[in-house]
Amino acid sequence: MPTSSAAETGTLQALFDETIAAEQRIEPRDWMPDGYRKTLVRQIAQHAHSEIIGMQPEGDWLTRAPSLRRKAILLAKVQDEAGHGLYLYSAAETLGADRADLTAKLIDGTQKYSSIFNYPTRTYADVGTIGWLVDGAAICNQVPLCRSSFGPYARAMIRVCKEESFHQRQGYELLATMMRGTDEQRAMVQESVDRWWWPALMMFGPPDDESPNTEQSMRWGIKRNTNDELRQRFVDMTVPQAEALGVTLPDPALRWNDRRGAHDFGEPDWSEFKAVLRGDGPCNAERVANRRAAHEDGAWVRAAATAFAAREQAAP
Ligand SMILES: [Fe+2]
Ligand SMILES: [Fe+2]
């Protein structure tokens, strides 16, 4: 009956609102508004896709690592990213999303991944810079998500963040080693930081007044800080690390502001950000084509696993 189901939805909505207000977790079995579910599926899918596509820029260097030690570290890091993607696809599945469908949307371009992975890795210093700046920015974004209102996402983030800390440290350690090396190595680090600094700042998304979904996501406890707050946190965290490394961040407007108790910094080129999101970044086509080829090449593995599972189920 329409009246009773409306009343029922009203009660369920009230329960949901109380859970959010009490800072408790929403679990997959709980009722949730459609918008909440859709927003989470979109965000978690985009996050999962970023982890998987994010394996490519550094993966390009696996066969060219300068030593066995560097190769072992890089392999471990890239494998961690695959694991992050898997936890996140699983979290999306608890919301009723279908993983095959999410993959299809990634390779047909209807779902996005972080714009940062559309930039090329030109030198081995980029492996260090990505760890330091890109994983560093990811940590700023993801630590507050450990308190996300959706249980499976928040719990996945705890392990992901621990691994991201390792990624950030290995990147910093690699750059610190190069900075103690030759003039050529130091120049290589600086050139790499010059290329990655601005794209790293763009990882926090557009400025708050151009981020239409932020307010609702914050009311739902999906997001805990605005894009600009997180960008500021990242800049404040990174400046002393750059000083310790001895590299210059390529922003003439970057300086400490005593009154705000924070660093002032310049504006990223948002037209570049929009172009990369539109698909016009230096590596968009290559990244998606690689992912599509890997998916097609893996068809026999999926078929074999499905046949095996069916046989196991049929067994007495
Ligand atoms: Fe990751
Ligand atoms: Fe990472």
Coordinates of all heavy atoms in Angstrom, one line a residue, residues 47 50-52 77-78 80-85 88 117 135 138 142 160-161 163-164 167, ligand 1:
H47 N 37.7 5.6 -7.5 CA 38.9 5.4 -6.7 C 39.5 4.0 -7.1 O 40.7 3.9 -7.3 CB 38.4 5.3 -5.2 CG 39.5 5.3 -4.2 ND1 39.4 5.6 -2.9 CD2 40.8 5.1 -4.4 CE1 40.5 5.5 -2.3 NE2 41.5 5.2 -3.2
S50 N 41.3 4.3 -10.3 CA 42.5 5.1 -10.2 C 43.6 4.2 -9.7 O 44.8 4.3 -10.2 CB 42.3 6.2 -9.2 OG 41.3 7.1 -9.6
E51 N 43.3 3.3 -8.8 CA 44.4 2.4 -8.3 C 44.9 1.5 -9.4 O 46.1 1.2 -9.5 CB 43.8 1.5 -7.1 CG 43.2 2.2 -5.9 CD 44.3 2.8 -5.0 OE1 45.5 2.6 -5.3 OE2 43.9 3.5 -4.0
I52 N 43.9 1.0 -10.2 CA 44.3 0.0 -11.3 C 45.0 0.7 -12.4 O 46.1 0.3 -12.8 CB 43.0 -0.7 -11.8 CG1 42.4 -1.5 -10.7 CG2 43.3 -1.5 -13.0 CD1 43.3 -2.7 -10.1
K77 N 55.3 -2.1 -4.5 CA 54.4 -0.9 -4.5 C 53.3 -1.1 -5.6 O 52.1 -0.8 -5.3 CB 55.3 0.3 -4.8 CG 54.6 1.6 -4.4 CD 54.2 2.4 -5.6 CE 53.6 3.7 -5.2 NZ 52.9 4.4 -6.3
V78 N 53.7 -1.5 -6.8 CA 52.7 -1.6 -7.9 C 51.7 -2.7 -7.5 O 50.5 -2.6 -7.8 CB 53.4 -1.8 -9.2 CG1 52.4 -2.2 -10.3 CG2 54.2 -0.6 -9.6
D80 N 50.8 -3.5 -4.5 CA 49.9 -3.0 -3.5 C 48.7 -2.2 -4.2 O 47.6 -2.3 -3.8 CB 50.6 -1.9 -2.6 CG 51.5 -2.5 -1.6 OD1 51.4 -3.7 -1.4 OD2 52.2 -1.7 -0.9
E81 N 49.0 -1.5 -5.3 CA 48.0 -0.7 -5.9 C 46.9 -1.6 -6.5 O 45.7 -1.4 -6.5 CB 48.6 0.2 -7.0 CG 49.7 1.1 -6.6 CD 49.3 2.1 -5.5 OE1 48.2 2.1 -4.9 OE2 50.2 3.0 -5.2
A82 N 47.4 -2.8 -7.1 CA 46.4 -3.8 -7.6 C 45.5 -4.2 -6.4 O 44.3 -4.3 -6.6 CB 47.1 -5.0 -8.2
G83 N 46.1 -4.5 -5.3 CA 45.3 -4.9 -4.1 C 44.3 -3.8 -3.7 O 43.1 -4.1 -3.4
H84 N 44.7 -2.5 -3.7 CA 43.8 -1.5 -3.4 C 42.6 -1.5 -4.3 O 41.5 -1.3 -3.9 CB 44.5 -0.1 -3.5 CG 45.6 0.0 -2.5 ND1 46.5 1.1 -2.5 CD2 46.1 -0.8 -1.5 CE1 47.4 1.0 -1.6 NE2 47.2 -0.2 -1.0
G85 N 42.9 -1.7 -5.6 CA 41.8 -1.7 -6.6 C 40.8 -2.8 -6.2 O 39.6 -2.6 -6.3
L88 N 38.6 -2.1 -3.3 CA 37.6 -1.1 -3.6 C 36.5 -1.6 -4.5 O 35.3 -1.3 -4.3 CB 38.3 0.1 -4.2 CG 39.1 0.9 -3.1 CD1 40.2 1.8 -3.7 CD2 38.2 1.7 -2.2
F117 N 47.1 10.2 -13.4 CA 47.7 9.0 -14.1 C 47.7 9.1 -15.6 O 48.1 8.2 -16.3 CB 47.0 7.7 -13.6 CG 47.1 7.6 -12.1 CD1 46.0 7.5 -11.3 CD2 48.3 7.5 -11.5 CE1 46.1 7.4 -9.9 CE2 48.5 7.3 -10.1 CZ 47.3 7.3 -9.4
D135 N 51.4 9.7 -4.0 CA 50.9 8.9 -2.9 C 50.8 9.8 -1.7 O 49.9 9.6 -0.9 CB 51.9 7.8 -2.6 CG 51.8 6.7 -3.7 OD1 50.9 5.8 -3.7 OD2 52.7 6.8 -4.7
A138 N 47.5 11.3 -2.1 CA 46.5 10.3 -1.9 C 46.3 10.1 -0.4 O 45.1 9.9 0.0 CB 46.9 9.0 -2.6
Q142 N 42.9 10.3 1.6 CA 42.3 9.0 2.1 C 42.2 8.9 3.6 O 41.4 8.1 4.1 CB 43.0 7.9 1.4 CG 42.8 7.8 -0.1 CD 43.7 6.8 -0.8 OE1 44.4 6.1 -0.2 NE2 43.6 6.9 -2.1
V160 N 44.5 0.5 3.2 CA 45.1 1.2 2.1 C 46.0 2.3 2.6 O 47.1 2.5 2.0 CB 43.9 1.8 1.2 CG1 44.4 2.8 0.2 CG2 43.2 0.6 0.5
C161 N 45.6 3.1 3.6 CA 46.4 4.2 4.1 C 47.7 3.7 4.6 O 48.7 4.4 4.5 CB 45.6 5.0 5.1 SG 44.4 6.1 4.3
E163 N 49.4 1.2 3.6 CA 50.3 0.9 2.5 C 50.7 2.2 1.8 O 51.8 2.3 1.3 CB 49.6 -0.1 1.6 CG 49.4 -1.5 2.3 CD 48.7 -2.5 1.5 OE1 48.0 -2.2 0.5 OE2 48.7 -3.7 2.0
E164 N 49.8 3.1 1.7 CA 50.2 4.4 1.0 C 51.3 5.1 1.8 O 52.2 5.8 1.2 CB 49.0 5.4 0.9 CG 47.8 4.9 0.1 CD 48.2 4.6 -1.4 OE1 49.3 4.9 -1.8 OE2 47.3 4.1 -2.1
H167 N 54.4 3.7 0.5 CA 54.6 4.2 -0.9 C 55.3 5.6 -0.8 O 56.2 6.0 -1.5 CB 53.3 4.3 -1.7 CG 52.6 3.0 -1.8 ND1 51.4 2.9 -2.3 CD2 53.1 1.8 -1.6 CE1 51.1 1.6 -2.4 NE2 52.1 0.9 -1.9
Ligands
FE1 FE 46.9 2.9 -3.7

